Amino acid sequence: MGHTAAVAGASGYAGGELLRILLDHPDIEIGTLTAGGNAGTPLGAHHPHLIALADRVLADTSAATLAGHDIVFLALPHGQSAAIAAELGEDVLVVDLGADFRLTDADDWTAFYGSEHAGTWPYGLPELPGARTALTGARRIAVPGCYPTCGTIALFPAYAEALVEPEAVVVAVSGASGAGKAPKPTTVASEVMGSVSTYAVGGAHRHTPEFAQNLSVAAGARVTVSFTPMVAPMPRGILANCSAPLKPGITAADVRAAYQRHLADEPFAHLLPEGTWPSTGMTVGANHALVQVTVDEAAGRLVAVAAIDNLTKGTAGGAVQSTNIALGLPETTGLPAAGIAP
């Protein structure tokens, strides 16, 4: 029997990508679509590529308009999901693509987001140790940030097997869609084309505590993360370059064997053959994370590189993957398994 789903924030990038995926999901029927300032307009005015839904008129975003569905996806800016979720019944599966319920530490939330912590929901990164158990049968899911999705998949095998010291460095470059659909001076074409820039340097990015939280879960001990994000002149994709000091006696063979053990059975996280390095172009439109790992012998560091599509595996695809687990469906149901090239 199928499930009905409402999507709040349907006119944004995350909402549009979610709808693209749900159109091919055999067990989920798309119901009400809502928006904020774009309420009252047809979806096709914002996502003309979604032909089958183009005539749907966007409703106002409220608990009342979202009620009556089995699943509610909230693709809203941070701080807007908690109030709506509180009005939805416990029998509804609520999947928050925003940040409101990702962090376990209330002080971290307040420090990075500047408001009261709304609580913590099961974390929607199935590859992270323990996550699938927490997601099974869940009625609330917090979808990870796109940067932490990529960097966590790159590093968690090393921390799960205690191969590296608890101090990671992540430098990741994202396409401009990671900043959302609303035009900003730093993301319009005239600023992005032909230029690579960095921002939120020195631990200021809001995904920093999420990185530390995830890798600490994998390690079973506190891990610090120095995270530097960058924007590249491309619409979508993330490439995360990650490193950490090796513990004494750990070899390159130890590292590769650990990654093979942790990723061999993952449907959407893959260790590439030796000598092949991930690129964002390999992942466009697919729900896959591609990983390569090596050892910098001279520096005594593990180096792991991962690539994802920030809108697919990094947001909407990850949301559907976690939703499948919560509903007891095969994890891969309805998810794009092949990318787009060239």
Side-chain angles (χ1 to χ4, degrees), residues 13-199:
Y13 284 141
E17 184 73 353
L18 179 61
L19 292 170
R20 181 181 75 88
I21 294 169
L22 292 179
L23 280 168
D24 289 328
H25 198 295
D27 295 291
I28 296 177
E29 178 184 353
I30 298 170
T32 300
L33 308 181
T34 79
N38 292 321
T41 63
L43 184 73
H46 312 283
H47 299 300
H49 62 296
L50 300 176
I51 303 298
L53 301 172
D55 293 334
R56 293 279 197 97
V57 175
L58 299 171
D60 287 314
T61 298
S62 69
T65 57
L66 296 169
H69 298 81
D70 303 311
I71 310 163
V72 173
F73 292 98
L74 301 174
L76 303 172
H78 75 266
Q80 295 187 17
S81 296
I84 292 174
E87 296 185 51
L88 297 172
E90 292 299 319
D91 58 327
V92 180
L93 173 54
V94 183
V95 184
D96 184 20
L97 281 68
D100 289 21
F101 300 97
R102 294 171 183 164
L103 297 182
T104 58
D105 190 302
D107 291 337
D108 279 344
W109 173 269
T110 301
F112 281 85
Y113 291 92
S115 60
E116 185 178 350
H117 187 227
T120 306
W121 289 356
Y123 192 70
L125 186 61
E127 293 79 8
L128 190 64
R132 284 189 175 90
T133 299
L135 290 168
T136 300
R139 295 290 89 187
R140 298 290 188 268
I141 296 172
V143 178
C146 51
Y147 280 126
T149 293
C150 194
T152 298
I153 291 174
L155 283 173
F156 88 83
Y159 282 104
E161 299 218 4
L163 303 180
V164 292
E165 302 292 348
E167 47 186 86
V169 174
V170 178
V171 179
V173 60
S174 173
S177 63
K181 197 169 187 180
K184 303 173 182 68
T186 54
T187 58
V188 295
S190 58
E191 299 290 338
V192 173
M193 297 302 292
S195 177
V196 176
S197 60
T198 191
Y199 64 104

Side-chain angles (χ1 to χ4, degrees), residues 147-158 168-173 211 234 237-244 255-256 259 263 268-283 288-296 301-308:
Y147 280 126
T149 293
C150 194
T152 298
I153 291 174
L155 283 173
F156 88 83
V169 174
V170 178
V171 179
V173 60
F211 269 116
M234 57 186 187
I238 290 177
L239 187 72
N241 296 274
C242 314
S243 74
V255 168
R256 187 155 192 90
Y259 274 71
L263 300 182
F268 295 116
H270 311 282
L271 180 64
L272 294 175
E274 290 190 73
T276 300
W277 290 90
S279 70
T280 58
M282 297 176 179
T283 67
H288 291 285
L290 303 181
V291 181
Q292 186 57 277
V293 65
T294 191
V295 168
D296 184 336
R301 298 182 72 87
L302 173 145
V303 179
V305 178
I308 63 170

